[in-house]
Amino acid sequence: MQFDYSNVLEERIGRFGLQQSELINSTKILKDIKDQILKRKTYDYFALNLPGIMLKEVNEINSYGEYIKENFENFVVVGMGGSSLGNKMLHYGINGLYYNDKSTRKGPKIYFMDNVDPDSNTELLNSLDLKKTMFNFITKSGSTSETIENFLLILKLFKQSNIDFMKNITITTDPEKGFLRKFAKENSISSFSIHPLVGGRFSVLTPVGLLSASVEGIDIDKLICGALKKESEINNTDPLISEAFLLPLIQYNLFKNKKININVLFTYSDGLSYIGDWYAQLLAESIGKEYSRQGEQVFAGITPLSARGTSDQHSILQLFMEGPYDKLIIFLSPYSYRNDENTGTVLNSSDETISYLENKNYTDLIKSEFLATRLSLTRKGRPNATFKVNLLDEFELGSFIYALEYSVLVLGELFNINPINQPAVELGKRYTYGLMGRKGFEKEKAEFFHLAKGKDGFIIK
Amino acid sequence: MQFDYSNVLEERIGRFGLQQSELINSTKILKDIKDQILKRKTYDYFALNLPGIMLKEVNEINSYGEYIKENFENFVVVGMGGSSLGNKMLHYGINGLYYNDKSTRKGPKIYFMDNVDPDSNTELLNSLDLKKTMFNFITKSGSTSETIENFLLILKLFKQSNIDFMKNITITTDPEKGFLRKFAKENSISSFSIHPLVGGRFSVLTPVGLLSASVEGIDIDKLICGALKKESEINNTDPLISEAFLLPLIQYNLFKNKKININVLFTYSDGLSYIGDWYAQLLAESIGKEYSRQGEQVFAGITPLSARGTSDQHSILQLFMEGPYDKLIIFLSPYSYRNDENTGTVLNSSDETISYLENKNYTDLIKSEFLATRLSLTRKGRPNATFKVNLLDEFELGSFIYALEYSVLVLGELFNINPINQPAVELGKRYTYGLMGRKGFEKEKAEFFHLAKGKDGFIIK
């Protein structure tokens, strides 16, 4: 894995660049943060210990994965946020967009139910042969509204079809607490545990993300080993030469000194671009925090944007090139791809608008476009950094995931906020409970109607 | 269609809100802009005339669409940016995520090739029976690198399979210029024209977007009629009561007076959330412009972010609630959905963490979550506006598309920039040509290697 940050430096991009010296001068701060993280690893940042812990659980997950492979045609991940974004990242990243259509596929088809959209959910459920489908309900708390709604509905559909659903369900949740854990125990349903100290957005390297990965033939052993290697590497390396410290230092300094409030993850791959959605939660939910400093309210947060090359060159690149200087662009350039094809010389055209594309590979064009786009942005003085990493290799992908998780905790320390909670989403949940008639939330219901009432005076038509 | 902007007002959200008076005081500016747009409609803003023009072409497109439906099993849209984002919006919006899996589907399966990703492209092509596949190559210029690369490769695959590819190709491009037009003429290939004055991101209501829509049974006549109705409505309505003027006025004032540089399109539907990707190009490429004002460089641009409810409540909502006050959130709330399901009372549970979800519909939960999320954001003083619109109805969707296209031109006028060009993407294209060895771009190649050479000194590992 290479991390090239030369294009965030003033000497390369001018006015919106950072000085090499300000990075070097942060050595002490980063070392303190490293110590702090090491201390907090036993509790707050427990997720950083996952590689070592999961190494022992990989066999159990793989053997259950084998059972599912042999007995089911479909595998549906039912989970919200951190209970599906990591799964999607591994699925589309390693196995591509068309895995379900592949004749060479050796496991069941994989689907994701990460919403309560009345259309897509019912359309998916209608297209599946329930008897041959394994549903993996994933919820840390055991009571996420959307996941429970889907759970109840799927139970109903099994009942209506007179299928004993107990064998078609796997539950991944807290080891002790919550409705789904109780349900699993009472009904002897297969289940996996999420360690109570591991938050949703840090849970991809637990049974949350690993079971579906195993079911679709992803080498989860390598994934964990890659993460483990990165853990040891970070621990044994000077922070200033580790991407897990340098990336957040750059993100923070650009935010603080240059008012850069948007970070783009620009991935040159269709499948791997789902890393952007996973990282969006990691960055947004970890760093987006309001707090009080010396009596004044401060609002921390960097907005993640996911872009896909080359496609988005034809959509938002114009803004990146000429719009406000409010973005750091983080390129993800894969070393290699699984496949390639050559255009051949079918037309043997003398038309120079097309002849340069004859006898060329896809990789020639996608790599040239990446290099050309990066140079153009650099010439326009736009801060950008590049991860060059073989993300199709589970070992490297595991390393990369661990490095990004670690980097977000460093960023939290730099912002001096708590990167592992998400207090603000509670308010919306309480109003939802109120509107859905849940007992104990009558006050929220009343408050909703009081506040919403008669306030629609500015509606057009 | 309703547009509720009450939650952008200071009286509702405080410090980051706008005053009703500053909106009302813009009446004169908006009226001038309306006059200006009317004048520029004959040339620069020609796309605004499309509904009237396309009404006459709908029959031809539909009859060719019928031919494709009857003769092909797969239909592949091959196009970049504006040559596929609109198609995807109509496809996923009207027909949902699982159209290709539906047994009730009456047309061919629909696929999109909007990249030169070596993996996803070859995997898609390998999964298709070429003989039964129609490829629609769409490129305004007739020479977009990615589309031509895909074109050459697909021709090669047809040749290798000894299939006469002429009947499996439809070309949508400029009526006169470019390689693909010449090729279509010389080989008598079915083709459609894009009016030379219509830019890619404004072309969804031309054969670019309408052919694939027709092939999958979308009522393109209603789509155009909806747009036509909106055109007449905008022309005959006071700007201050039209969303096509009010939305950009709000966007502009929040940018200028409150430094809000991010606009989120938060859509409560999986399929309809693709509107966000289409709108991202429209907003980013139209408004992201550098220009010189009184000798000073000014950088205009608002960064679009697409969010999907309820899923993204579990991912980026925390940032929206507590992060910097840098966002306007534009909710898209569908009136209704195609389907619904009730959870029933399978468990008859007394556990209050789940009992409130028994005997409830999907729509109960998704609508409650939308209302709860909106109120939470409003209570946190976060500017937000809501489109409540039946986007599953082609007539309303057509109206909505037209209104957003119009609104972006108004926004361009407010920013005093040219919303219909995209000059900055040329630089990257020239470097790409250089790297790919295209004749006439030797200078760019040399420049690339000169600038890139020996500058990788800050790479880690």
Side-chain angles (χ1 to χ4, degrees), chain A residues 220-290:
Chain A
I220 61 173
D221 206 14
K222 278 176 79 181
L223 208 56
I224 295 297
C225 286
L228 197 62
K229 191 195 158 213
K230 182 55 74 179
E231 181 185 4
S232 131
E233 195 186 284
I234 292 172
N235 288 339
N236 298 308
T237 310
D238 187 324
L240 259 192
I241 55 165
S242 166
E243 68 286 312
F245 286 90
L246 268 167
L247 174 63
L249 181 64
I250 289 163
Q251 292 172 303
Y252 178 71
N253 282 16
L254 287 173
F255 180 86
K256 205 173 123 240
N257 303 331
K258 309 289 178 184
K259 295 185 176 155
I260 286 179
N261 64 339
I262 300 166
N263 284 185
V264 183
L265 205 64
F266 203 154
T267 309
Y268 274 73
S269 155
D270 288 332
L272 291 166
S273 71
Y274 285 81
I275 294 176
D277 295 337
W278 169 80
Y279 183 65
Q281 182 193 14
L282 193 65
L283 181 64
E285 221 170 42
S286 300
I287 309 299
K289 299 285 156 67
E290 176 184 344

Side-chain angles (χ1 to χ4, degrees), chain B residues 48 68 100 160 213 314 396:
Chain B
L48 294 177
I68 293 170
N100 284 355
Q160 284 174 349
H314 298 263
E396 290 245 328

Side-chain angles (χ1 to χ4, degrees), chain A residues 114-115 117 119-120 150 156 270 303 311 327 338-339 342 360 362 379 431 436 447 460-461, chain B residues 2-3 114-115 117 119-120 146 150 156 270 303 311 327 338 342 360 362 379 431 436 447:
Chain A
D114 64 352
N115 204 348
D117 181 314
D119 293 327
S120 49
N150 284 322
K156 189 188 83 171
D270 288 332
T303 297
S311 309
K327 293 177 189 70
R338 278 185 300 277
N339 301 289
N342 188 288
K360 292 281 162 59
Y362 272 134
R379 285 200 56 192
Y431 285 133
M436 293 292 285
E447 192 173 292
I460 292 177
K461 228 169 320 113
Chain B
Q2 288 185 342
F3 177 62
D114 64 352
N115 205 347
D117 181 314
D119 293 328
S120 50
E146 291 91 340
N150 284 322
K156 188 189 84 168
D270 289 330
T303 297
S311 308
K327 294 177 189 69
R338 279 184 298 279
N342 189 288
K360 291 282 161 61
Y362 272 134
R379 285 200 56 192
Y431 284 132
M436 292 293 285
E447 192 173 292

Side-chain angles (χ1 to χ4, degrees), chain B residues 183-377:
Chain B
F183 187 84
K185 274 185 189 160
E186 286 173 3
N187 296 282
S188 305
I189 288 172
S190 302
S191 72
F192 288 89
S193 292
I194 314 170
H195 195 288
L197 289 176
V198 176
R201 58 187 176 275
F202 294 94
S203 69
V204 58
L205 300 181
T206 73
V208 169
L210 297 178
L211 179 58
S212 65
S214 170
V215 165
E216 55 180 310
I218 292 169
D219 190 335
I220 62 172
D221 206 17
K222 275 176 80 181
L223 208 56
I224 296 296
C225 286
L228 197 62
K229 191 194 158 213
K230 182 54 74 178
E231 182 185 4
S232 127
E233 196 185 285
I234 292 172
N235 290 338
N236 298 308
T237 310
D238 188 324
L240 260 192
I241 54 166
S242 165
E243 67 287 312
F245 286 91
L246 267 167
L247 173 63
L249 182 64
I250 289 163
Q251 293 172 303
Y252 178 72
N253 283 16
L254 286 173
F255 179 87
K256 204 172 124 244
N257 303 331
K258 309 289 178 186
K259 296 188 175 150
I260 286 178
N261 63 339
I262 301 166
N263 284 185
V264 183
L265 205 62
F266 204 153
T267 309
Y268 275 73
S269 154
D270 289 330
L272 291 166
S273 71
Y274 285 81
I275 293 177
D277 295 337
W278 169 80
Y279 183 65
Q281 182 193 15
L282 194 65
L283 181 64
E285 222 171 40
S286 301
I287 309 301
K289 298 286 155 69
E290 177 185 344
Y291 63 104
S292 188
R293 185 184 281 165
Q294 294 160 348
E296 201 197 352
Q297 285 304 96
V298 182
F299 304 95
I302 292 173
T303 297
L305 190 65
S306 182
R308 176 170 61 95
T310 68
S311 308
D312 282 326
Q313 293 175 202
H314 298 263
S315 163
I316 46 179
L317 181 60
Q318 166 68 33
L319 174 72
F320 295 177
M321 289 285 284
E322 293 200 354
Y325 282 76
D326 54 12
K327 294 177 189 69
L328 163 66
I329 293 161
I330 304 162
F331 286 108
L332 267 191
S333 166
Y335 265 106
S336 59
Y337 298 86
R338 279 184 298 279
N339 301 289
D340 208 355
E341 276 285 351
N342 189 288
T343 52
T345 51
V346 177
L347 296 180
N348 244 320
S349 175
S350 59
D351 183 331
E352 68 191 21
T353 65
I354 73 132
S355 60
Y356 72 101
L357 291 165
E358 295 206 86
N359 207 18
K360 291 282 161 61
N361 292 333
Y362 272 134
T363 48
D364 295 330
L365 185 55
I366 197 167
K367 287 190 171 183
S368 297
E369 297 226 26
F370 155 63
L371 293 170
T373 300
R374 183 172 64 172
L375 181 60
S376 305
L377 286 163

Side-chain angles (χ1 to χ4, degrees), chain B residues 81-250:
Chain B
S83 296
S84 58
L85 288 166
N87 305 64
K88 282 183 164 182
M89 164 172 71
L90 300 176
H91 171 70
Y92 294 111
I94 298 285
N95 281 330
L97 298 193
Y98 298 101
Y99 172 80
N100 284 355
D101 300 326
K102 270 187 206 167
S103 54
T104 54
R105 177 170 45 79
K106 279 173 191 131
K109 292 186 178 184
I110 306 285
Y111 296 96
F112 302 94
M113 276 180 81
D114 64 352
N115 205 347
V116 283
D117 181 314
D119 293 328
S120 50
N121 283 20
T122 55
E123 284 158 14
L124 172 60
L125 291 171
N126 287 336
S127 78
L128 298 173
D129 180 346
L130 288 184
K131 202 163 189 169
K132 295 171 183 164
T133 303
M134 171 62 86
F135 290 92
N136 184 196
F137 296 95
I138 310 179
T139 156
K140 174 88 191 302
S141 66
S143 61
T144 307
S145 302
E146 291 91 340
T147 309
I148 298 296
E149 171 114 349
N150 284 322
F151 173 75
L152 293 173
L153 176 63
I154 289 164
L155 290 200
K156 188 189 84 168
L157 296 178
F158 273 116
K159 271 218 162 162
Q160 284 174 349
S161 313
N162 287 316
I163 306 167
D164 173 20
F165 54 73
M166 302 305 178
K167 285 182 183 155
N168 293 59
I169 286 176
T170 304
I171 284 169
T172 306
T173 189
D174 185 276
E176 300 294 337
K177 290 180 194 159
F179 168 76
L180 279 189
R181 173 55 62 199
K182 204 170 113 236
F183 187 84
K185 274 185 189 160
E186 286 173 3
N187 296 282
S188 305
I189 288 172
S190 302
S191 72
F192 288 89
S193 292
I194 314 170
H195 195 288
L197 289 176
V198 176
R201 58 187 176 275
F202 294 94
S203 69
V204 58
L205 300 181
T206 73
V208 169
L210 297 178
L211 179 58
S212 65
S214 170
V215 165
E216 55 180 310
I218 292 169
D219 190 335
I220 62 172
D221 206 17
K222 275 176 80 181
L223 208 56
I224 296 296
C225 286
L228 197 62
K229 191 194 158 213
K230 182 54 74 178
E231 182 185 4
S232 127
E233 196 185 285
I234 292 172
N235 290 338
N236 298 308
T237 310
D238 188 324
L240 260 192
I241 54 166
S242 165
E243 67 287 312
F245 286 91
L246 267 167
L247 173 63
L249 182 64
I250 289 163

Side-chain angles (χ1 to χ4, degrees), chain A residues 5-212:
Chain A
Y5 64 98
S6 53
N7 293 334
V8 304
L9 296 176
E10 195 188 28
E11 58 188 80
R12 286 299 285 279
I13 57 165
R15 192 152 76 95
F16 284 88
L18 303 173
Q19 303 202 6
Q20 181 80 332
S21 61
E22 64 176 298
L23 299 181
I24 292 168
N25 292 341
S26 304
T27 309
K28 167 106 181 54
I29 296 167
L30 295 185
K31 283 190 172 161
D32 290 348
I33 286 176
K34 196 173 163 182
D35 291 342
Q36 182 68 6
I37 288 177
L38 207 61
K39 273 183 217 151
R40 300 183 74 179
K41 225 170 155 175
T42 54
Y43 192 81
D44 291 339
Y45 300 163
F46 187 83
L48 293 177
N49 302 298
L50 281 171
I53 294 170
M54 292 312 299
L55 209 55
K56 298 163 206 146
E57 293 186 33
V58 161
N59 282 346
E60 188 197 339
I61 295 170
N62 270 334
S63 87
Y64 189 62
E66 279 303 317
Y67 161 77
I68 293 170
K69 268 190 208 176
E70 281 161 24
N71 291 282
F72 295 91
E73 287 180 6
N74 310 300
F75 185 86
V76 185
V77 173
V78 188
M80 305 300 294
S83 297
S84 58
L85 287 168
N87 306 64
K88 282 183 165 183
M89 165 172 69
L90 299 177
H91 170 70
Y92 293 111
I94 298 284
N95 281 330
L97 298 191
Y98 298 102
Y99 171 81
N100 283 357
D101 300 325
K102 270 187 207 169
S103 54
T104 54
R105 178 172 44 79
K106 280 172 190 130
K109 292 186 178 185
I110 306 284
Y111 296 95
F112 301 93
M113 276 180 81
D114 64 352
N115 204 348
V116 282
D117 181 314
D119 293 327
S120 49
N121 283 19
T122 54
E123 283 158 14
L124 171 61
L125 292 170
N126 287 337
S127 78
L128 298 173
D129 181 345
L130 287 184
K131 203 163 188 168
K132 298 172 182 163
T133 303
M134 171 63 84
F135 290 91
N136 183 196
F137 297 94
I138 309 178
T139 156
K140 172 91 191 301
S141 66
S143 61
T144 307
S145 301
E146 292 92 339
T147 309
I148 298 297
E149 171 113 352
N150 284 322
F151 173 77
L152 293 173
L153 176 63
I154 289 164
L155 290 199
K156 189 188 83 171
L157 295 178
F158 273 114
K159 272 219 163 163
Q160 284 175 349
S161 313
N162 286 316
I163 307 169
D164 173 20
F165 54 74
M166 302 305 178
K167 287 182 184 155
N168 294 58
I169 285 176
T170 303
I171 285 170
T172 306
T173 189
D174 186 275
E176 301 294 337
K177 290 180 195 160
F179 169 76
L180 279 188
R181 172 56 60 199
K182 204 170 114 237
F183 187 85
K185 275 185 189 160
E186 286 173 2
N187 297 281
S188 305
I189 288 172
S190 302
S191 71
F192 289 88
S193 291
I194 313 171
H195 195 288
L197 288 176
V198 176
R201 59 187 175 276
F202 294 94
S203 69
V204 58
L205 299 180
T206 73
V208 169
L210 296 178
L211 179 59
S212 66

